[in-house]
Amino acid sequence: MSVLAQLAVIFAICLAAEGLAALLPFAFPATVLAMVILLVLLAVRALKPRQLRESSGFLLDHMAMFFVPGCVSLIKYWDVMAANLLPILLITILTTPLVFCVTGHAVQLTIRLLQKRGGDAQ
């Protein structure tokens, strides 16, 4: 599959997630829905990892560029951030180890399931 076709698939999934998020009666991030849709498509083997390997590798290699707008917004609203600095730091310090642990366990579970299935963990 060409890189453009791979990107089209990724963007189509993102667009579907945006539509689904708009239809939900409660607020839910479209980016999370997109990841769930992608996970389901990979799990049911409608998509294979090799079909998206080239474009996803490129996006991962250049991920830092996607954080620039968020960092600019933080600088733009520094007065709001400074007023709430203590709660933000407290939440960050408490939740970061939790996210690390949950992510680590999820990766270990995924690797075990792939090995049990006879698949490749890479």
Side-chain angles (χ1 to χ4, degrees):
M1 188 181 298
S2 73
V3 175
L4 285 177
Q6 292 174 27
L7 286 172
V9 168
I10 292 170
F11 289 137
I13 291 170
C14 291
L15 184 63
E18 287 287 343
L20 186 59
L23 293 175
L24 289 175
F26 51 88
F28 199 83
T31 52
V32 174
L33 286 174
M35 287 187 285
V36 170
I37 292 170
L38 182 59
L39 175 66
V40 168
L41 289 173
L42 289 168
V44 299
R45 299 185 189 257
L47 279 175
K48 294 177 180 55
R50 65 176 165 75
Q51 291 176 308
L52 301 174
R53 185 161 288 148
E54 223 176 321
S55 61
S56 60
F58 173 81
L59 291 172
L60 285 172
D61 289 343
H62 297 87
M63 190 185 312
M65 293 302 295
F66 296 108
F67 286 97
V68 170
C71 292
V72 170
S73 294
L74 286 176
I75 293 169
K76 183 177 176 183
Y77 295 106
W78 177 249
D79 54 333
V80 177
M81 295 280 297
N84 298 300
L85 194 58
L86 186 62
I88 291 171
L89 285 175
L90 186 64
I91 291 169
T92 303
I93 290 168
L94 292 176
T95 59
T96 299
L98 177 68
V99 170
F100 284 161
C101 289
V102 170
T103 303
H105 286 293
V107 168
Q108 288 177 351
L109 176 65
T110 303
I111 289 171
R112 271 190 244 121
L113 289 174
L114 282 173
Q115 288 172 344
K116 193 180 276 187
R117 242 169 120 180
D120 186 15
Q122 296 291 330

